[in-house]
Every structure is written in structure tokens, then in C-alpha cells.
Amino acid sequence: MAKVVLKDINKVYPNGFNAVKGVDLEIDDKEFMILVGPSGCGKTTTLRMIAGLEEISSGDLFIGENQVNDVAPKDRNIAMVFQNYALYPHMSVYENMAFGLKLQKTPKAEIKERIERAAKILAIEKLLTRKPKQLSGGQRQRVALGRAIVRKPEVFLMDEPLSNLDAKLRVQMRAELIKLHNDLATTFIYVTHDQTEAMTMGTRICVMNDGEIQQVAPPKTIYNRPANVFVAGFIGAPQMNFFEGNVESGMLNVSGHKLKPGDELAALIESEAYEGKALIVGVRPENVMLAKGETGIPASVEVTELLGNDLNVYFNLNGKTYTLKTDASQNLKIGDAIRVDIEGAKMHLFDPDTEKSLLY
């Protein structure tokens, strides 16, 4: 098993495009690290540099104790699972799983033992004689995972492996991957743009944007203490609301509504440095509530989104759209006048110039 360390890793393409900018990241042995971010943020390029499929422009990459910048992919003792499965269509499942081991001149008896063990773990024992075209998407994904498992790599690299599956199967496979990581006790590095996958699977999450790391932390920390406006807005569905506010005598003024922040933030903004200062006030939809009577901030319903027991309400306030989450028993329709309250203790405050959290 192995720790993976990236030190000031950069990737600059011949046309001058800087895809990855000074990435510093330590991935512990046996950790499940998620690289997450929007399309084009540099997460897949980073993964491909770890795999050796992309040349590193500058910086140092270590797998275990060894610097591997110039080590061929086949000699890095890693295994990669791709988005499109990358199975050989003319080979059976058994032959696909055995292919890499044959290239390593592994004895036939050992190949058979490894494949049977991996097939049992993934519940694909009955599929070993089939060709990929005879398999469903979920079965193909299991075969791709099996091909990686039999190599007994120090590090598993996964590039959006569930993106081609339907919603129900994705949920099932997320659980399977978490179990697989626990069973194998191996380092996993997993790339996705799906924040749900990131929040449910990773021991830690590395949020990336524009080729740079925005924050690295466990899922709960990423959600509850985002480092900046980007992380706060990217993680969470529906995304965090961002209001314009300013400090008045230790209180926050949001659309003429005075709010008292939680103790930690209150102690911070009571200093003279923040008096009268404009701030970005972040509030998650579950911390915006429908007010009773004539209290709260007046707004109007733009659209509602029913999700089982929950109801997402998109409302207009001062010409901008925000979201609150309530229970499905609320009977609201487009154009309804409502009043909203904000849970002050759950607010996040960001500097409008740097967009960094005041608590980070």
C-alpha cells in the first residue's frame, strides 16, 4: 500500500494553457480521496499525471517512497478504472481480467486464483465466459473494477467510473465501492464532478477549480466550514444562497432584516474592523425558513420543486433568486407572496474582495 504525494505539480500544454497550477496534496495510505470540481477544473489531468498518462510539466510526484515523474505507467504499481470501462470487446470477461497479468508473465494458476477471488468479491463469477457486449453497464463496470483488483495495485485511480450508469445503479455502485475500499484496504483516488459522490464516498475531498485546489478536508468540514464562496456554492444541493449584507453594531443587515450570527462569527464581527463593512452572507436552503405572520423578509415564489418529503422553493427577493427547503405539506404556487426567516446561527460570512470565509 502507498501514500501519494504531489508537490507543486503543474501541467502546461504546448499551446500555453495551464491546466494544473501548483497543486500540493498528500493522500494517505489506504485513504479514499475524492477530486471534485466542475468540468475543466484540472481534476482528471491531475489523475492522469498520477497515472503517468500525462507528462508533468514541473513539480514532484511520489508514490510510496519513490519519485515517479519519469516512471512508466506500467511500473507505477497503480490500476486505473476509466469512465468508458475500456474493455476489449473480442475477449471474454476472464480474458479481460487476465490480460494485464499475462503481460506481467504471472503464472496461470495464480492468474486463475486472483480472478476467481476478484470475481467473488464483485459477484461476477457467472459472467466470466461472457463478452462485454453481453453485459449491462453495471456488469461492465464491475469487470473493469475486477481487472484492476487482480493486479493488486498500491493505488486505485478512478476517473468518473459511474457516470455512464443510471441513477439507481449509481447509488448501488457507490455503496459497493465504499465496501470494496474497506475490504481491500488500499489507497483510492477518485475523480468526479458529482458532489453527491464526493460527499458520500470520500474520507477526504479535494475541491478544485481553474486548476487550483480550493480546499481539502473531510466531507462534513467541507459542508459546514467551506473555505470560500466557490466551495460553499459548489458543495450542497440546492446550492448555498448568497445575500448581500453589512455589519451594524454587531448585527448583520440583510435586506433590512437584522440577524444575529452564531457565537463564533458574532465575536469576530463585533470588532471595529467590521463595523459598516459589506459582507457576503451565505445561507444553505435548509437554514432559510418560511416565516409566520408578518415577521421575516417579504419575497415571492418563482417556482417549486417537489422531492418526496421535501419541497424546494425558489423565491424572488430584490430581483434575485434564492432557495429554501421546507416540507412537502406546504401548498405554494408560482407568484405567492411569502415571508422568509434566516437562521442566523447557521450563516457563513465571506469577504467580498477575496471571497474567503471569515472563519477559514
Side-chain angles (χ1 to χ4, degrees), residues 1 88 116 123 143 173 269:
M1 305 310 120
Y88 296 107
E116 287 177 350
V143 174
M173 286 302 298
I269 67 171

Side-chain angles (χ1 to χ4, degrees), residues 80-312:
M80 190 157 180
V81 180
F82 296 93
Q83 179 178 349
N84 61 358
Y85 319 132
L87 300 177
Y88 296 107
H90 62 288
M91 294 183 182
S92 68
V93 167
Y94 187 98
E95 292 166 336
N96 266 283
M97 293 172 68
F99 185 74
L101 297 178
K102 288 181 179 178
L103 291 180
Q104 296 174 350
K105 303 189 184 307
T106 305
K108 285 186 177 180
E110 185 177 347
I111 291 176
K112 184 173 184 293
E113 187 274 329
R114 287 197 197 183
I115 290 176
E116 287 177 350
R117 178 177 177 274
K120 186 176 181 180
I121 291 172
L122 295 165
I124 56 173
E125 305 105 304
K126 297 180 180 179
L127 306 179
L128 294 177
T129 59
R130 296 188 188 181
K131 298 286 180 65
K133 67 180 180 181
Q134 298 172 295
L135 306 177
S136 67
Q139 290 170 334
R140 292 180 192 179
Q141 188 59 74
R142 288 172 187 268
V143 174
L145 287 168
R147 183 177 55 188
I149 291 170
V150 297
R151 296 182 58 188
K152 295 183 178 179
E154 290 184 316
V155 182
F156 280 90
L157 306 178
M158 301 187 181
D159 185 13
E160 306 214 36
L162 309 185
S163 61
N164 289 334
L165 305 181
D166 62 55
K168 182 179 179 180
L169 193 53
R170 286 180 76 160
V171 173
Q172 179 185 335
M173 286 302 298
R174 284 204 302 265
E176 293 289 341
L177 283 173
I178 294 168
K179 182 176 181 294
L180 182 63
H181 174 253
N182 290 332
D183 290 345
L184 298 178
T186 309
T187 307
F188 276 35
I189 307 175
Y190 186 104
V191 160
T192 182
H193 66 274
D194 186 328
Q195 49 145 318
T196 302
E197 286 183 13
M199 291 294 291
T200 55
M201 295 171 65
T203 51
R204 281 195 302 160
I205 299 173
C206 173
V207 183
M208 297 185 67
N209 187 40
D210 194 26
E212 298 178 320
I213 291 178
Q214 303 295 311
Q215 187 174 5
V216 182
K220 282 187 178 180
T221 303
I222 292 281
Y223 191 81
N224 293 321
R225 295 180 74 95
N228 55 41
V229 169
F230 176 81
V231 175
F234 187 79
I235 299 294
Q239 77 161 40
M240 182 181 285
N241 298 296
F242 296 106
F243 301 93
E244 295 176 1
N246 63 281
V247 179
E248 292 183 8
S249 302
M251 300 283 281
L252 276 162
N253 180 4
V254 178
S255 297
H257 197 67
K258 297 291 179 63
L259 303 172
K260 180 176 174 55
D263 293 342
E264 194 174 11
L265 282 172
L268 184 64
I269 67 171
E270 280 175 3
S271 66
E272 291 183 6
Y274 286 99
E275 182 62 30
K277 182 175 175 61
L279 294 172
I280 298 172
V281 181
V283 188
R284 295 206 179 275
E286 59 266 32
N287 302 127
V288 183
M289 299 146 291
L290 292 169
K292 296 179 180 179
E294 295 303 311
T295 63
I297 307 170
S300 62
V301 175
E302 287 193 340
V303 69
T304 61
E305 186 178 57
L306 181 62
L307 298 170
N309 288 328
D310 294 325
L311 183 71
N312 293 335

Side-chain angles (χ1 to χ4, degrees), residues 6-27:
L6 293 78
K7 293 186 176 180
D8 195 23
I9 294 291
N10 292 274
K11 177 62 182 180
V12 182
Y13 287 99
N15 64 1
F17 176 64
N18 195 353
V20 176
K21 307 168 185 175
V23 165
D24 288 301
L25 182 63
E26 289 193 11
I27 301 165

Side-chain angles (χ1 to χ4, degrees), residues 51-64:
L53 302 176
E54 288 278 359
E55 184 179 347
I56 296 171
S57 300
S58 64
D60 297 302
L61 174 64
F62 295 86
I63 298 179

